[in-house]
Amino acid sequence: MTLDPEFLKYPMRRKGMDHDLYPAANLFEQPKVTWAGGKKIALWVTVAAEFFPLTPNEGGFRAAGHMATPFPDYRTFTTRDYGNRVAIYRLMDALAKAGVNVTAFTNSALIERTPALIDDIQAAGWEIAALGEDMNAVHYGGLDTALEQQQIETCLSAWADRGVTPKGWMSPGRGQSDVTLSLLKQAGVEWTADWGNDDMPFLMNDGPIAMPYTDEMEDRKCLTALGQDENIWSQQIIGAADLLSKEADTYGGRILHLALTPYVIGQPFRIKFLRDLLKQLMTRDDIWSATGSQICTAWQNNTKA
Amino acid sequence: MKDPKLYGHWPYRGRPKVTWPGGKKMAFWVAPNIEFYELNPPKNPHRSPWPRPNPDIVNYAYRDHGNRVGNWRLIEAMEKYNIPGTVSLSVAMCDHFPDMIEQVNALGWEFFSHGAYNTRYIYGMDKEQERETLQHAIDTVKAATGQQVRGYLAPALTHSVHTIELLAELGFTYSCDLFQDDQPQPLNVPGSPLVSMPYSLEVNDHYAYNVFGQSPQQYTDVLKRQFDTLLEEGGTSGTVMCIPIHAYLVGRSHRMGPFEEILRYAEQHKDDIWIARAGDIAEHYLEHHYDEAKAHIANFGGSDDA
């Protein structure tokens, strides 16, 4: 048995990254950032408003939360739909009561499917960021570039028709192809939430700014994928806030990203934990609650040479 | 496939006692995995590197967080408690992040080979190819740090039936690839003496966080219980405790605080434990316990003609 000799060659082995998407960096050597009011932590709360079609996509990969059983997977489809009908309203009330600014990653398919929900998201003052057309519209290596361009256009033009210009973008399932970043930049997107490799924003070589998406503290990952207790989930977020606040003393303002999924955290038996967590966060004196675009702009203003 | 017979059965009860330098009961080492996963690795015919098609940016970025953020937090914390790391190193890191490698080398950390990249698997290699990857790791680390690599943990724990004998042939003194014991012990391969070094999957942060879904505090509690039990038994048997970690997991903002607790806990017990690097543990064992252990194991038969 012999392996193809290509496996013992390392063509991208060099100083820095093994690709040209962004340069290597050390978080602790970045310029210091100062947030509004001198707060140590920018709290970035995002809500996923997702539409999972009953017939899932076949190419690439299936986004987290998608259909699991053979067709028709009514149990998953309706569980996700519960998020957009019921649970998201619990989140709206809890977030409004705590005075949190919110970014909603929203599938453009919801503009037609659930127009009342889009009205309510806008009335709540949430920032709308793009999330592709629906959770089938994934980006992945091997996707035809013309098709990919079309996916982006379908989504952004639907928002334009609705009178919304999303500055932020998250790809469904956060997947990208080799050219997604440059296509998004060409389409006018200012920042993305696909990259989870830093605690602060950073510049791509040819693409929108990468905002620090923190999947390790997502409700979906912690409470459903890992089956953690709700108290443990919220304790971890408070723990993160404490550490980031301490780091901010030396290294400048930090970002705490909290990703919420209505069908997960908006369940009747869970909503109390979100209310309690938001209260704990919003009564601290070191937190500035802001949308993705507000944080991104503040970061740009701070780091411009 | 035949049992490779790498070691004979050797019951924990009744073994000759292992004593660590200074009469310490337990040797304690911390193994930060400093790894590089490639964005576009070639697809090994036996195992796909990523769950999604290349470029799997979600899973790539998840690991890259360690090199941008987590490792720096971890290095600072280990320095604070005077605990030297024994690095499980993707040796390509010497090229990609030379500053990080220089910094931990200057702190007195040891490097052992964890392959070139954690996306390059041994599966499918012939013996000559595998030997080449091992020699390549030795040469890379020597050139970058001046250190002679003494230990090994196969990249992504991908092994061949030749792996362990190749280690002895190339002069490695320890392997972290086998999980049968809480004490070091001789491995039955030709070549220079080779020790199986206790690492751990059970208290590995990957299992704690991604398999068992533990919270940061639960993981620290697990590590403390592991520590207490092995320290207590070490008074009779002489034990080794390893904490195998990945900065992309423990170095996250919600986990670093609780993880520091176990480092502080170890430092508080420094009169009872030998805080060491794996290569030093192997060296001490080879010098003082290897021959005695080998002779004792021979009493138990079991594996050689099984």
Side-chain angles (χ1 to χ4, degrees):
Chain A
M1 196 161 58
T2 299
L3 201 56
D4 185 332
E6 289 304 309
F7 284 85
L8 282 82
K9 292 179 187 157
Y10 313 109
M12 296 307 282
R13 188 158 158 184
R14 59 187 187 184
K15 191 164 195 270
M17 305 313 296
D18 62 333
H19 54 73
D20 297 314
L21 299 175
Y22 56 85
N26 173 342
L27 172 66
F28 300 91
E29 291 176 350
Q30 302 310 307
K32 278 191 192 182
V33 169
T34 307
W35 301 127
K39 304 288 186 185
K40 294 177 185 178
I41 301 171
L43 173 66
W44 181 34
V45 174
T46 64
V47 174
E50 303 163 319
F51 171 58
F52 291 93
L54 188 58
T55 303
N57 59 299
E58 296 197 345
F61 64 91
R62 219 171 264 191
H66 216 315
M67 304 302 121
T69 77
F71 184 87
D73 185 353
Y74 285 156
R75 80 174 91 165
T76 304
F77 184 88
T78 55
T79 305
R80 305 301 171 256
D81 199 30
Y82 177 90
N84 294 339
R85 296 167 70 90
V86 180
I88 197 166
Y89 289 95
R90 290 198 185 104
L91 269 68
M92 273 183 198
D93 290 345
L95 289 158
K97 189 171 178 203
V100 178
N101 288 308
V102 175
T103 299
F105 291 111
T106 311
N107 282 140
S108 64
L110 294 179
I111 298 169
E112 286 200 3
R113 291 190 61 87
T114 60
L117 174 59
I118 303 298
D119 291 343
D120 292 331
I121 285 175
Q122 289 186 304
W126 291 4
E127 172 189 22
I128 290 178
L131 179 60
E133 185 183 7
D134 58 30
M135 298 312 282
N136 278 359
V138 293
H139 302 248
Y140 56 93
L143 175 63
D144 178 79
T145 300
L147 269 177
E148 184 172 7
Q149 213 159 3
Q150 203 174 44
Q151 276 178 201
I152 295 169
E153 209 181 292
T154 301
C155 168
L156 293 180
S157 62
W159 284 116
D161 291 348
R162 169 85 199 194
V164 175
T165 311
K167 292 180 178 173
W169 173 282
M170 184 158 77
S171 304
R174 297 171 56 229
Q176 291 191 350
S177 75
D178 292 313
V179 296
T180 306
L181 284 168
S182 57
L183 294 179
L184 290 173
K185 188 183 173 189
Q186 287 161 33
V189 170
E190 292 177 26
W191 57 267
T192 71
D194 292 345
W195 287 82
N197 51 341
D198 212 311
D199 284 1
M200 291 293 285
F202 66 92
L203 296 175
M204 290 287 175
N205 290 335
D206 179 29
I209 292 167
M211 283 286 284
Y213 191 91
T214 308
D215 48 12
E216 288 288 83
M217 288 185 280
E218 266 180 7
D219 55 354
R220 180 155 50 198
K221 176 160 186 181
C222 292
L223 301 176
T224 61
L226 296 174
Q228 286 180 353
D229 179 85
E230 290 79 5
N231 267 317
I232 280 173
W233 173 69
S234 42
Q235 278 163 17
Q236 289 173 94
I237 292 153
I238 298 299
D242 291 343
L243 182 127
L244 293 170
S245 185
K246 208 158 62 176
E247 279 189 0
D249 289 335
T250 311
Y251 300 103
R254 289 287 193 239
I255 295 172
L256 176 63
H257 174 228
L258 182 58
L260 302 176
T261 314
Y263 72 80
V264 177
I265 196 65
Q267 295 289 336
F269 64 93
R270 286 203 183 105
I271 192 69
K272 163 193 186 304
F273 295 94
L274 178 63
R275 290 187 195 126
D276 292 351
L277 173 63
L278 294 175
K279 191 172 169 191
Q280 283 188 70
L281 290 170
M282 296 302 288
T283 52
R284 293 169 68 114
D285 60 8
D286 56 356
I287 279 189
W288 169 53
S289 164
T291 65
S293 289
Q294 287 168 338
I295 294 170
C296 192
T297 303
W299 178 79
Q300 278 178 290
N301 291 339
N302 267 267
T303 52
K304 264 177 200 155
Chain B
M1 191 62 71
K2 287 197 294 187
D3 178 349
K5 294 171 187 162
L6 298 171
Y7 51 82
H9 182 67
W10 190 32
Y12 186 38
R13 187 186 296 159
R15 290 178 187 173
K17 188 182 169 187
V18 171
T19 309
W20 301 115
K24 304 291 177 71
K25 302 171 197 167
M26 178 171 90
F28 174 84
W29 67 292
V30 177
N33 283 267
I34 299 190
E35 298 173 326
F36 199 103
Y37 292 72
E38 298 159 283
L39 186 62
N40 288 298
K43 188 176 174 180
N44 184 295
H46 304 274
R47 177 174 162 183
S48 182
W50 296 118
R52 296 178 177 183
N54 291 350
D56 186 343
I57 69 147
V58 168
N59 287 295
Y60 178 87
Y62 185 62
R63 273 70 175 196
D64 189 32
H65 190 276
N67 293 333
R68 298 175 73 90
V69 181
N71 274 316
W72 304 108
R73 284 192 184 127
L74 182 62
I75 292 165
E76 193 187 333
M78 303 236 331
E79 208 183 341
K80 183 171 160 190
Y81 296 103
N82 292 307
I83 296 176
T86 306
V87 177
S88 171
L89 182 71
S90 295
V91 301
M93 280 294 291
C94 297
D95 299 304
H96 290 291
F97 290 85
D99 298 351
M100 187 187 296
I101 301 308
E102 271 169 36
Q103 184 175 334
V104 297
N105 192 34
L107 287 172
W109 291 22
E110 176 185 335
F111 300 95
F112 66 82
S113 172
H114 190 32
Y117 290 98
N118 222 30
T119 37
R120 298 290 179 125
Y121 309 132
I122 302 307
Y123 298 143
M125 284 189 191
D126 63 33
K127 194 173 175 182
E128 187 49 48
Q129 289 177 317
E130 188 172 5
R131 184 186 286 117
E132 192 185 322
T133 66
L134 291 166
Q135 187 62 50
H136 171 80
I138 293 171
D139 297 343
T140 302
V141 172
K142 184 90 183 173
T145 69
Q147 287 194 31
Q148 179 67 39
V149 163
R150 298 182 281 180
Y152 189 63
L153 174 67
L157 277 71
T158 62
H159 300 103
S160 79
V161 291
H162 306 299
T163 305
I164 305 298
E165 62 176 275
L166 284 170
L167 297 180
E169 180 192 313
L170 292 170
F172 285 74
T173 60
Y174 65 96
S175 155
C176 305
D177 298 277
L178 310 170
F179 301 94
Q180 77 282 12
D181 223 284
D182 288 329
Q183 290 183 299
Q185 56 203 252
L187 289 170
N188 288 336
V189 279
S192 59
L194 181 68
V195 169
S196 177
M197 180 63 63
Y199 183 70
S200 178
L201 296 180
E202 298 293 328
V203 301
N204 193 299
D205 61 349
H206 167 70
Y207 281 77
Y209 291 132
N210 287 343
V211 180
F212 305 137
Q214 289 165 7
S215 73
Q217 193 56 51
Q218 285 170 326
Y219 181 46
T220 294
D221 293 345
V222 163
L223 291 172
K224 282 185 181 170
R225 292 199 297 274
Q226 177 93 345
F227 187 102
D228 292 346
T229 300
L230 288 175
L231 179 57
E232 189 190 344
E233 289 181 7
T236 316
S237 62
T239 47
V240 173
M241 175 172 174
C242 175
I243 301 184
I245 45 175
H246 304 74
Y248 65 78
L249 294 167
V250 289
R252 303 273 170 173
S253 58
H254 56 305
R255 296 189 180 129
M256 201 61 232
F259 185 73
E260 267 200 44
E261 268 182 50
I262 190 68
L263 300 178
R264 184 165 48 240
Y265 195 68
E267 201 208 22
Q268 285 164 352
H269 287 80
K270 66 183 176 208
D271 292 342
D272 288 328
I273 63 171
W274 180 35
I275 299 175
R277 304 175 307 172
D280 304 330
I281 298 171
E283 195 176 304
H284 178 89
Y285 186 85
L286 284 166
E287 196 175 324
H288 299 280
H289 300 287
Y290 180 91
D291 292 335
E292 189 187 17
K294 206 156 173 142
H296 195 251
I297 292 169
N299 297 326
F300 293 89
S303 97
D304 279 359
D305 47 6

